[in-house]
Amino acid sequence: MAEGGALKGHMARALRQVRRYLEAVDAVVEVADARAPFTSRSPQLAALMEGRLHLLVLSRGDLADPATTRAWVDWFSSQGIEPYVGEGPGDARLVSRLRRRLARAPAAFKPRVLVAGLPNVGKSTLLNSLAGRRRARVGAQPGVTRGKQWVDLGSFWLMDTPGVLPPHLGGTRRLVLGALGLVGPELAGPEEIAAFLLKRLGGAPAFRQALGRWGVEGPRLPAGVPGQEPLGPGQGGEPPGAAHGPGPGQPAAGRPPAGGGAAGADGRALAQVVLEQVARQRGLLGPGGQPDIHRAAAVLVAAFRAGELGRFSLEHPRMLAGPGQGA
Ligand SMILES: Nc1nc2c(ncn2[C@@H]2O[C@H](COP(=O)(O)OP(=O)(O)OP(=O)(O)O)[C@@H](O)[C@H]2O)c(=O)[nH]1
């Protein structure tokens, strides 16, 4: 497919560029999305680190489920990666913790630092916050990537351009990244993402309540079945709602939901019913008063991305197939 070929070419170029940047740095601050810290990382980066200091920032922590984020921080720490959580664009606490960590180097050594991550994950926001007012004080440092600008932050150099890492799009990864807005609609459209969100989060009582506030009442959304879709090379994922155990009105995990539940059945049909209600409640009607499913899906996805439905994570470390995955 021509489009797929172009995308592959684009990703290969991005990776080549990051490799060049890596030759010039001693430390990488990798940015991933706190709502899916496994899938929003580049699978290639770990292999390229080669002894460089590797710090991980989980951006958009303000939009993720806090308990799930704490579980991810513990999991990454157990894998030898230091995670820092950003609680909003320009989080001052995150920035000062990172600056302190990067400054902790031998006196004679001034590390050169690259911020890297998937497209739209929050790299520039972090770069700007780290550089702060010193952004104006940039200069080309001799002996490193020609033409690259560096910000002198006293105890370390910051490359003034972020490294863009290519995503892994296999299996449901494409939909996870689409839900987070890290890949464009040409790779994951709103209706597909909405169906995915309803399937993955439908078992979480807080998500159902949020939809209830939108006037969406049924049918019964699927409850999670632990281990059903493990994260890893095959990439699936249990709904995080299931990780916290069944809530009020939610069937015990492993049992099919009562009352016309849709777990394992036709997720798209379920999404259609939910999106019709969203469309009617929001007055998103097409010719002849028909509910406009496409616009309803776009509204639902946008609300999820902006955190208007609440703080939800799409992945939990319990979904990992085994120790060592994804480090
Ligand atoms: N809620 C929230 N939004 C964030 C956070 N960090 C970044 N954003 C928002 O995410 C969006 C994308 O951020 P950018 O910094 O432009 O992302 P990027 O990775 O540089 O994007 P590209 O240049 O497209 O690769 C912006 O609207 C930011 O305001 C965060 O911690 N919380």
Short mmCIF file of all heavy atoms in Angstrom, two decimals, residues 17 45 54-55 109 141 158 179 246 250 265 319:
data_model
loop_
_atom_site.label_atom_id
_atom_site.label_comp_id
_atom_site.label_asym_id
_atom_site.label_seq_id
_atom_site.Cartn_x
_atom_site.Cartn_y
_atom_site.Cartn_z
N GLN A 17 17.46 9.71 12.20
CA GLN A 17 17.78 11.02 12.79
C GLN A 17 18.05 10.88 14.31
O GLN A 17 19.00 11.46 14.84
CB GLN A 17 16.63 11.98 12.55
CG GLN A 17 17.00 13.41 12.88
CD GLN A 17 15.86 14.35 12.55
OE1 GLN A 17 14.72 14.09 12.93
NE2 GLN A 17 16.14 15.41 11.85
N LEU A 45 14.10 2.37 21.32
CA LEU A 45 15.02 3.25 22.06
C LEU A 45 15.94 2.50 23.02
O LEU A 45 17.14 2.76 23.07
CB LEU A 45 14.24 4.33 22.82
CG LEU A 45 15.11 5.36 23.52
CD1 LEU A 45 15.92 6.17 22.51
CD2 LEU A 45 14.28 6.28 24.39
N HIS A 54 19.32 7.13 31.22
CA HIS A 54 17.99 7.05 30.62
C HIS A 54 16.94 7.42 31.67
O HIS A 54 16.73 6.68 32.63
CB HIS A 54 17.76 5.60 30.14
CG HIS A 54 16.53 5.41 29.35
ND1 HIS A 54 16.18 4.20 28.81
CD2 HIS A 54 15.55 6.25 28.99
CE1 HIS A 54 15.04 4.31 28.15
NE2 HIS A 54 14.64 5.55 28.25
N LEU A 55 16.29 8.57 31.50
CA LEU A 55 15.23 8.97 32.41
C LEU A 55 13.91 8.90 31.64
O LEU A 55 13.88 9.14 30.44
CB LEU A 55 15.45 10.39 32.93
CG LEU A 55 16.82 10.66 33.59
CD1 LEU A 55 16.91 12.12 34.01
CD2 LEU A 55 17.02 9.75 34.78
N PHE A 109 32.24 16.97 34.41
CA PHE A 109 31.48 16.42 33.30
C PHE A 109 30.15 17.15 33.16
O PHE A 109 29.39 17.28 34.11
CB PHE A 109 31.24 14.92 33.58
CG PHE A 109 30.44 14.24 32.52
CD1 PHE A 109 30.94 14.07 31.24
CD2 PHE A 109 29.16 13.76 32.80
CE1 PHE A 109 30.19 13.43 30.26
CE2 PHE A 109 28.41 13.12 31.83
CZ PHE A 109 28.94 12.96 30.56
N GLN A 141 27.30 23.89 19.85
CA GLN A 141 28.45 23.43 20.63
C GLN A 141 29.43 22.75 19.68
O GLN A 141 29.02 21.86 18.93
CB GLN A 141 27.98 22.46 21.70
CG GLN A 141 29.01 22.22 22.76
CD GLN A 141 28.69 20.96 23.55
OE1 GLN A 141 27.83 20.19 23.18
NE2 GLN A 141 29.42 20.76 24.62
N LEU A 158 21.34 21.07 26.85
CA LEU A 158 20.08 20.48 26.39
C LEU A 158 19.98 20.68 24.88
O LEU A 158 20.10 21.82 24.39
CB LEU A 158 18.91 21.18 27.09
CG LEU A 158 17.50 20.66 26.81
CD1 LEU A 158 17.34 19.21 27.29
CD2 LEU A 158 16.47 21.55 27.51
N ALA A 179 -6.23 6.64 20.58
CA ALA A 179 -7.04 7.17 21.69
C ALA A 179 -6.30 8.31 22.38
O ALA A 179 -6.90 9.28 22.83
CB ALA A 179 -7.35 6.05 22.68
N PRO A 246 -14.09 -5.83 40.72
CA PRO A 246 -15.39 -5.38 40.27
C PRO A 246 -15.97 -4.31 41.19
O PRO A 246 -15.83 -4.39 42.41
CB PRO A 246 -16.24 -6.66 40.30
CG PRO A 246 -15.49 -7.61 41.18
CD PRO A 246 -14.05 -7.21 41.15
N GLN A 250 -20.96 -4.16 38.96
CA GLN A 250 -20.08 -4.73 37.94
C GLN A 250 -19.90 -6.21 38.25
O GLN A 250 -19.61 -6.58 39.38
CB GLN A 250 -18.72 -4.02 38.00
CG GLN A 250 -17.79 -4.43 36.89
CD GLN A 250 -16.44 -3.73 37.05
OE1 GLN A 250 -16.21 -3.00 38.00
NE2 GLN A 250 -15.56 -3.97 36.13
N ALA A 265 -18.62 -10.15 22.51
CA ALA A 265 -19.62 -10.19 21.44
C ALA A 265 -19.30 -9.11 20.42
O ALA A 265 -18.16 -8.89 20.08
CB ALA A 265 -21.02 -10.02 22.03
N MET A 319 -1.21 -6.04 33.30
CA MET A 319 -1.52 -6.56 31.96
C MET A 319 -0.29 -7.11 31.26
O MET A 319 -0.40 -7.71 30.19
CB MET A 319 -2.14 -5.45 31.11
CG MET A 319 -3.52 -5.04 31.57
SD MET A 319 -3.96 -3.37 31.04
CE MET A 319 -4.04 -3.60 29.28
#
